Amino acid sequence: MQGRQKSSTPEHKGDLAAHGGVLSMSHNDTRSFFNFSQLGLSTGNAKSSPVLKHSKITYFEVEILDVHSKKQICIVDKVSPSSTLLDVKHKFHKACPQWYPSRVGLQLERNGPYLKDSINIQSLAVSSIITLYFTDLGQQVSWTTFFLIEYTGPLLIYLLFYIRLSTIYDQLESKKNFRHPVVHLACFCHCLHYIRHLLETLFVHKFSGGHTPLKNMIKGCAFYWGFTSWIAYYINHPRYTPPSFGHRQVSFAALAFLTCEAGNHFINVALAHQNHSGNKACFPSPTYNPFTWLFLLVSCPNYTYEVGSWISFTVMTQTLPVGIFAFLMVIQMSLWAQKKHKQYLKRFYPEVRRKAAMIPVIF
């Protein structure tokens, strides 16, 4: 009996050892599961780290180089994808105060076109670093200032010749010779033309913050002011001779002039209304106003009316300077109309393909 009991003791201890072994293994498994869970969590954190990196590269760096020397001028950092090129120009101005945003020209390539201010910076990005080339466009003026100065000059200059200043004409000859009614009518029509331009610049045309080089304004003023002086000198001269066909020629030409001025105004109003309403998906269509029916024949009726005004003014006054000016205006307006017509063809091909650019019937 005792032997049996002694022999049974180690078996009992073995059983306890066996149970103890089982308990120790389950404890190790628990620790292993805990370690595996921790590894899984750490792996999850490791996977989430690229998300943080991705959030960091949502900002772009814009490297600005000199277009001639290719030297780096500055780096504009922390540019968000929603930023426009105008925002980049403002930040560039903060880094380089001597260059205002209006005189900064930026290009993707050295010989490429200048990028528009409204372009989204993300559309230019190939990587997180965007390289642009800088060109100093020189002193700039706003389009509103450009047109106000360009049109105010002819208005005032013509009036100086109309009152026949003593520094321009001989006073004895001016008092002696009678002024033909066409001289007064020409002054009224000329002033009406430029007053209309000034009022439309202020209240009809809307310029989206654009600028143009100062040298362009100087060229435009030299052209308009110079021709106005030449035209006004001949028409208001004491020895000016009236048109060959007299009253009929003057009346017909004056009526045509006023018709073209009214048509030009209503076309500009129609174009401005389309831009304000945001309806740029279709070609401008004529309205109930008869002056807008010219849209059925040409794509740029405002240029048609502008040319018609100067041709009518030439017939009304019958002077060589006005004829030369009208001829140059026909050339300039036709170039602008052809350029605009090509843009219309790309956007509104079915509606514009049968229209002329400026002069009806000439396709």
Side-chain angles (χ1 to χ4, degrees), residues 178-191:
F178 171 74
R179 288 198 187 194
H180 193 274
V182 70
V183 176
H184 304 291
L185 181 61
C187 180
F188 169 78
C189 291
H190 190 275
C191 293

Side-chain angles (χ1 to χ4, degrees), residues 120-269:
N120 190 280
I121 200 66
Q122 191 174 17
S123 63
L124 305 175
V126 179
S127 63
S128 60
I129 300 178
I130 304 172
T131 301
L132 299 176
Y133 293 94
F134 161 75
T135 301
D136 184 7
L137 300 178
Q139 188 67 35
Q140 303 284 304
V141 294
S142 66
W143 282 109
T144 302
T145 303
F146 176 91
F147 288 118
L148 289 178
I149 294 177
E150 188 177 68
Y151 296 144
T152 302
L155 179 64
L156 299 178
I157 290 172
Y158 197 98
L159 292 175
L160 292 177
F161 283 90
Y162 176 74
I163 62 178
R164 290 183 176 177
L165 295 175
S166 58
T167 55
I168 302 175
Y169 303 111
D170 181 74
Q171 292 298 304
L172 294 176
E173 194 174 13
S174 299
K175 294 178 180 179
K176 181 180 178 181
N177 294 340
F178 171 74
R179 288 198 187 194
H180 193 274
V182 70
V183 176
H184 304 291
L185 181 61
C187 180
F188 169 78
C189 291
H190 190 275
C191 293
L192 176 66
H193 177 78
Y194 284 101
I195 288 174
R196 177 183 65 79
H197 273 304
L198 290 172
L199 293 177
E200 287 178 352
T201 300
L202 292 173
F203 303 108
V204 177
H205 301 300
K206 298 297 181 183
F207 307 100
S208 57
H211 294 79
T212 185
L214 179 62
K215 61 182 180 181
N216 289 348
M217 189 183 73
I218 295 175
K219 291 179 183 179
C221 290
F223 177 78
Y224 281 98
W225 295 15
F227 262 103
T228 299
S229 301
W230 192 22
I231 291 170
Y233 177 80
Y234 272 83
I235 296 177
N236 295 287
H237 198 281
R239 298 182 184 180
Y240 168 76
T241 55
S244 303
F245 296 96
H247 180 70
R248 286 186 177 182
Q249 179 178 343
V250 173
S251 300
F252 172 79
L255 181 61
F257 178 87
L258 295 176
T259 301
C260 291
E261 287 295 302
N264 202 340
H265 172 70
F266 287 118
I267 291 295
N268 289 332
V269 171

Side-chain angles (χ1 to χ4, degrees), residues 3 9 34 80 95-96 116 124 146 188 257 267 276 303-304 327 331 343 363:
T9 304
F34 176 76
S80 64
C96 305
K116 295 182 179 180
L124 305 175
F146 176 91
F188 169 78
F257 178 87
I267 291 295
H276 294 169
Y303 296 144
T304 308
F327 175 74
I331 295 176
Q343 295 176 0
F363 291 90

Side-chain angles (χ1 to χ4, degrees), residues 64-71 73 89 92 99-115 132-140 213 215:
I64 299 179
L65 307 180
D66 184 79
V67 71
H68 301 294
S69 63
K70 293 185 179 180
K71 292 182 179 180
I73 300 176
K89 289 183 178 182
F92 177 61
W99 289 308
Y100 292 93
S102 60
R103 66 184 296 169
V104 174
L106 296 177
Q107 305 160 274
L108 272 177
E109 300 175 357
R110 296 182 67 187
N111 297 324
Y114 293 114
L115 301 173
L132 299 176
Y133 293 94
F134 161 75
T135 301
D136 184 7
L137 300 178
Q139 188 67 35
Q140 303 284 304
K215 61 182 180 181

Side-chain angles (χ1 to χ4, degrees), residues 8-29:
S8 67
T9 304
E11 291 178 2
H12 181 66
K13 289 181 179 179
D15 291 340
L16 291 176
H19 285 293
V22 173
L23 289 174
S24 63
M25 288 178 63
S26 63
H27 179 68
N28 291 335
D29 288 346

